[in-house]
Amino acid sequence: MAIRWGICSAGKISHDFTVALRTLPSEDHQVVAVAARDLKNAQEFAEKHGILRAYASYEELAKDSEIDVVYIGTIHPYHLKAGLLFMNCGKPVLIEKPLAMNAKEVKELVAAAKKNNVFMMEALWTRFFPVSAALRRSLAQDEVGEVMMVRADLGAPLSHIPRMAERDLGGGALLDIGVYCLQFVLMVYNGERPESIQATGYKLDTGVDGHAVVVLKFSRNRMAVCTCSMTMMLTNDAVIVGSKGMIKVPDHMWCPINLDVNGKVSQHPLPEPPMPLNFTHSAGLRYEAQEVRECLLKGLKESPVMSLSDSTLLAELLDEARKQVGVTYNQDK
């Protein structure tokens, strides 16, 4: 049975997500409608992707009875309003990362999902790549022993992009890039809340963080260090040090296709997309879509791979890191 998708927002990430869906069987996934704040944009998106219906408002999309789930690809500050709109209309949602601007908004979304008894998941695509699944299996099988240290780095010169640099647009390295590093750490430590978190960094003239380093201490003296930057290119890799060995994600840690477990490298290539994409390895968005379909068919209201409690803890850690760096948004008031 095909899951019928509605696409909220006709931007670059929505394009890539829609293209990624086309790498999956059409009998499993179909895009039936798209909505944008401007009808022309929605119509152009629909024509490009062969979508039957284009709407000039998110409200129209929410009322479409032939949609099973909505992908929300708006920029961060609009996630809360859009998520509430669709869930209050009984629509399951897949909301782009970060789930919301802060933990308060995340908790409001979680409450709405539970009140309306609908599925909700944060679209942290990294969790669903085959490399991440293989990594979790290696940890579960004790291939490197007890994890003692995790390091995750992600950065590139992106401060020229308004969405990244402007405070009112939800910019900042932590919220847009650091979320990948912190979620990686939480995945490795099975969603355990750290005993302490220390963050430092510097802000751009716009008031958002351009670079941040976050140190987390977990029980039994287990540590993690995350570095995120939108002012410089970093190694963009991740390392897990265990008592018996080491796991490396050697490149593209936010969308990985290679894994090194104790020196043994495995490759997990992506399918060829049918259209050009905007972002690196975006065909991998297919894996989060597969997770949504499986959850909906099973009647689940959240994903066991990226649970609502995972998203809540991640938001709380981002809040604390931002607070220590000195970054605030209007939504924090």
Side-chain angles (χ1 to χ4, degrees):
M1 181 183 76
I3 295 296
R4 299 170 299 179
W5 289 88
I7 306 296
C8 172
S9 178
K12 291 181 179 180
I13 191 63
S14 292
H15 166 86
D16 284 12
F17 182 80
T18 303
V19 173
L21 286 177
R22 289 177 58 186
T23 69
L24 296 167
S26 59
E27 58 268 26
D28 291 345
H29 299 270
Q30 295 177 4
V31 179
V32 299
V34 59
R37 289 175 293 175
D38 181 274
L39 180 59
K40 182 181 178 182
N41 291 340
Q43 289 173 333
E44 289 176 352
F45 190 99
E47 183 178 358
K48 179 184 292 186
H49 294 282
I51 300 171
L52 292 177
R53 298 190 291 281
Y55 297 121
S57 72
Y58 301 157
E59 288 78 10
E60 291 177 274
L61 184 66
K63 294 175 182 177
D64 191 327
S65 61
E66 296 183 4
I67 290 174
D68 299 314
V69 60
V70 176
Y71 169 78
I72 299 176
T74 63
I75 61 174
H76 318 334
Y78 298 108
H79 287 179
L80 175 64
K81 185 177 180 180
L84 293 178
L85 168 67
F86 292 111
M87 288 192 288
N88 287 337
C89 288
K91 292 282 192 291
V93 290
L94 172 64
I95 304 177
E96 255 310 323
K97 64 82 201 166
L99 189 57
M101 290 295 293
N102 54 34
K104 180 176 179 289
E105 289 192 349
V106 166
K107 291 173 183 176
E108 194 172 343
L109 286 168
V110 170
K114 293 181 178 179
K115 176 184 176 182
N116 293 290
N117 195 32
V118 294
F119 175 87
M120 181 178 76
M121 189 179 88
E122 183 173 10
L124 256 166
W125 65 329
T126 314
R127 286 275 173 115
F128 307 99
F129 272 71
V131 163
S132 295
L135 187 157
R136 291 193 295 269
R137 284 195 299 272
S138 294
L139 293 174
Q141 294 167 4
D142 200 37
E143 293 186 22
V144 296
E146 182 178 17
V147 175
M148 304 305 297
M149 176 69 189
V150 182
R151 178 186 60 77
D153 293 351
L154 182 55
L158 302 168
S159 58
H160 62 284
I161 302 173
R163 182 184 65 80
M164 295 290 297
E166 295 299 326
R167 185 170 167 271
D168 289 344
L169 299 180
L174 278 165
L175 205 58
D176 199 86
I177 297 175
V179 63
Y180 289 116
C181 301
L182 284 169
Q183 76 80 27
F184 184 87
V185 168
L186 293 178
M187 179 181 71
V188 173
Y189 285 130
N190 291 316
E192 179 181 332
R193 182 180 293 274
E195 293 180 345
S196 68
I197 173 172
Q198 294 178 302
T200 187
Y202 56 79
K203 295 189 291 183
L204 304 180
D205 292 340
T206 57
V208 302
D209 52 305
H211 186 97
V213 180
V214 183
V215 179
L216 305 106
K217 183 179 180 182
F218 292 82
S219 61
R220 303 192 303 280
N221 294 322
R222 294 170 299 148
M223 302 293 294
V225 179
C226 299
T227 306
C228 60
S229 181
M230 64 171 173
T231 62
M232 66 186 80
M233 183 64 70
L234 299 180
T235 53
N236 299 332
D237 64 346
V239 177
I240 302 167
V241 180
S243 58
K244 299 191 302 184
M246 186 179 298
I247 298 175
K248 298 178 183 178
V249 180
D251 49 25
H252 300 98
M253 61 79 58
W254 74 103
C255 51
I257 58 173
N258 300 309
L259 185 66
D260 180 334
V261 180
N262 293 327
K264 183 178 180 180
V265 178
S266 60
Q267 297 180 328
H268 305 263
L270 297 170
E272 191 68 28
M275 296 173 66
L277 296 168
N278 294 297
F279 303 108
T280 303
H281 294 172
S282 276
L285 291 164
R286 72 199 303 266
Y287 302 118
E288 64 184 15
Q290 287 178 307
E291 175 72 7
V292 171
R293 180 176 187 272
E294 291 174 9
C295 289
L296 291 177
L297 292 179
K298 293 175 182 177
L300 300 179
K301 303 307 177 185
E302 61 182 299
S303 164
V305 179
M306 189 67 205
S307 69
L308 299 181
S309 60
D310 289 336
S311 293
T312 302
L313 176 56
L314 178 59
E316 290 172 345
L317 296 182
L318 285 167
D319 278 4
E320 180 58 30
R322 282 197 299 109
K323 178 182 177 182
Q324 293 185 27
V325 176
V327 175
T328 60
Y329 300 107
N330 292 332
Q331 293 84 352
D332 297 324
K333 298 177 181 178

